[in-house]
Amino acid sequence: MKLPLLIPVLFSASVYATPNPSFSEVRIGLETIGYSETLNDVAGFGQLSQSIDVTNPAIRQLSYTGIDDDWGFYVESAATISTDIATETWYMGEFGAVQQNAFKLKANEIGFKGAYNFSQAIQFTVGTKFFTSSFTRSNFSFVQPGADSFDKALIAISDDPTNPARFTLPGMEGGQTGSQQNYTSQLRPVISVSEDQMGILLTLGARYDSRLKDSFNKYSWYLEGEVSSPMYSEIQNTQFETTTLTDSFNGWGVFARAGMRYQVMNHIAILAGIDAQYKSRDIVTKNLENGQRLRVPEVEYSNVSFTLGAQWSY
């Protein structure tokens, strides 16, 4: 007579043993990338810096696979579809603006992370991301009067008057003694400088998804956050020829994602989302065999995207 009482108990246990539903989503929209470089104590004259924002069309993808009632994993990617070109201005301490050039930047990343279901709607995640960014600078020009004042200050502190230090643009040769105005005749407008940055990030985060708690509601929302640190970073710049600069655990980052969904059908939803991230990388230095020292500036990177897309669960 007690057998019927076991049926609801077994049924209830089987429900909670079911893993969270798997899903995939694709979103397309616009991203605004903020990029700044800072190099302190340049020739004793202070800080050389720039800061610029570019807006690009972008795509975001995310998929989740439930393994059991405790565990699952995410695969995510983000990519710039095409690049915007903006004008970048460099500032040198008390001399103010000294250089301008065209600038474009793209970024891509792919990530893998495991997820532990702390509760029906809350997950803790740990994983890794492979991040790459690439920029190109071109159409270099001096900004006056700052460039000329900085150039004269460098000449004044040079030990060798026949081969003085000069403020030059990419594509120019050093060792000139004429005025900077005549010096610009050497500049070729087709000269460009590119830099590729790669990082392998360790990530730790948490995610809340209201649909996991209330699957009967047509509207749902999610919120996610994580912190990261680069286990390995690599920089290649065309000005350094074949030299590659590397470092590890030389920065930190934060990431947040939020969005709203509307269930069009049982397994299909439309959604709008915001992704935001910030990363900081310290100055990277390398001493060469010929006694020269290469320094890549401290970098601050931010990326905020607004996207629309679709999600399907299975």
Side-chain angles (χ1 to χ4, degrees):
M1 296 299 294
K2 293 183 178 180
L3 184 60
L5 297 177
L6 294 176
I7 296 176
V9 174
L10 292 175
F11 177 75
S12 176
S14 66
V15 170
Y16 288 103
T18 302
N20 285 336
S22 301
F23 67 84
S24 296
E25 67 182 44
V26 176
R27 294 175 286 128
I28 296 177
L30 294 174
E31 65 179 6
T32 297
I33 300 177
Y35 185 83
S36 66
E37 294 184 2
T38 302
L39 195 59
N40 294 314
D41 193 24
V42 176
F45 291 112
Q47 186 182 85
L48 177 67
S49 64
Q50 60 75 233
S51 181
I52 192 170
D53 293 330
V54 293
T55 300
N56 305 318
I59 185 170
R60 303 288 185 261
Q61 296 175 291
L62 179 70
S63 66
Y64 173 77
T65 301
I67 299 174
D68 56 29
D69 56 332
D70 288 327
W71 296 96
F73 66 90
Y74 287 93
V75 178
E76 58 187 335
S77 66
T80 299
I81 297 175
S82 64
T83 55
D84 177 36
I85 299 177
T87 299
E88 176 183 53
T89 302
W90 289 84
Y91 297 87
M92 179 63 238
E94 65 184 59
F95 303 103
V98 295
Q99 176 185 310
Q100 282 189 339
N101 53 262
F103 179 89
K104 64 179 182 178
L105 171 67
K106 62 181 179 180
N108 301 280
E109 66 180 31
I110 183 169
F112 308 90
K113 55 189 177 185
Y116 172 71
N117 299 318
F118 177 76
S119 67
Q120 194 171 359
I122 299 176
Q123 295 174 315
F124 293 121
T125 62
V126 62
T128 186
K129 284 184 179 179
F130 296 85
F131 170 82
T132 63
S133 67
S134 178
F135 68 71
T136 300
R137 293 184 169 113
S138 59
N139 298 320
F140 299 93
S141 63
F142 290 120
V143 177
Q144 303 298 358
D148 187 57
S149 299
F150 182 40
D151 185 54
K152 290 178 179 177
L154 288 173
I155 294 174
I157 64 171
S158 297
D159 297 327
D160 185 359
T162 63
N163 186 25
R166 302 297 300 267
F167 174 46
T168 62
L169 300 173
M172 290 181 172
E173 295 181 359
Q176 302 294 320
T177 57
S179 69
Q180 190 182 65
Q181 186 66 30
N182 295 330
Y183 207 24
T184 59
S185 63
Q186 300 181 30
L187 185 62
R188 291 169 289 175
V190 295
I191 288 292
S192 65
V193 174
S194 298
E195 181 172 295
D196 295 323
Q197 304 175 18
M198 187 275 287
I200 303 176
L201 310 178
L202 178 65
T203 65
L204 181 65
R207 178 183 172 96
Y208 175 87
D209 194 331
S210 68
R211 181 162 173 78
L212 299 177
K213 189 174 183 180
D214 184 9
S215 60
F216 297 101
N217 195 331
K218 284 187 174 292
Y219 292 94
S220 60
W221 61 277
Y222 59 89
L223 179 65
E224 180 178 353
E226 67 182 27
V227 295
S228 65
S229 181
M231 296 183 290
Y232 174 81
S233 59
E234 180 180 286
I235 304 102
Q236 292 180 326
N237 190 296
T238 54
Q239 284 187 296
F240 303 153
E241 298 179 356
T242 59
T243 303
T244 299
L245 286 76
T246 61
D247 209 341
S248 58
F249 295 102
N250 61 333
W252 60 278
V254 291
F255 171 81
R257 175 189 289 131
M260 291 285 299
R261 304 188 201 91
Y262 175 74
Q263 295 297 134
V264 180
M265 301 174 63
N266 189 33
H267 295 287
I268 300 177
I270 55 175
L271 71 158
I274 301 174
D275 296 46
Q277 62 176 312
Y278 170 87
K279 290 195 286 287
S280 176
R281 190 201 68 206
D282 296 334
I283 293 174
V284 180
T285 303
K286 184 172 184 177
N287 296 315
L288 304 182
E289 294 180 358
N290 61 8
Q292 290 185 326
R293 185 177 66 162
L294 300 179
R295 287 200 302 168
V296 176
E298 177 184 339
V299 169
E300 291 185 73
Y301 170 95
S302 64
N303 189 319
V304 179
S305 64
F306 299 87
T307 53
L308 300 174
Q311 182 189 89
W312 55 98
S313 56
Y314 41 88

